[in-house]
Amino acid sequence: MNRTLLKPVGVLVALVGLLWTLQGTGVLGGSAMSGVAFWAFVGIVLIIGGVALYVLGERTLRARRRDRDDSGS
């Protein structure tokens, strides 16, 4: 995966995880997932994964900027 896509994909995954967590806990109704604890658990896992992707993308971009700045000196 292109490293520059890690941050936006991480945000998207975390938002889907938040939606699924809210549905699984019954806060958001109107779907077959509403009130099913399995989806709350899966949502939490997705939130953690999304945050991890975002952090990985941020660290990668910082390292790339640092390397670029060091080579320009």
Side-chain angles (χ1 to χ4, degrees), residues 25-70:
T25 57
V27 173
L28 290 177
S31 82
M33 296 167 58
S34 298
V36 179
F38 171 77
W39 293 111
F41 175 75
V42 172
I44 292 170
V45 171
L46 283 179
I47 291 170
I48 293 168
V51 170
L53 284 174
Y54 184 88
V55 169
L56 181 62
E58 180 66 27
R59 293 182 73 176
T60 301
L61 289 175
R62 281 186 186 175
R64 188 179 303 164
R65 284 186 204 124
R66 186 177 52 238
D67 290 344
R68 185 184 62 213
D69 291 344
D70 289 345

Side-chain angles (χ1 to χ4, degrees), residues 2-39:
N2 189 347
R3 298 264 184 202
T4 58
L5 291 177
L6 286 176
K7 287 174 65 174
V9 169
V11 169
L12 183 62
V13 168
L15 288 175
V16 169
L18 177 63
L19 175 65
W20 287 5
T21 301
L22 293 175
Q23 286 180 324
T25 57
V27 173
L28 290 177
S31 82
M33 296 167 58
S34 298
V36 179
F38 171 77
W39 293 111

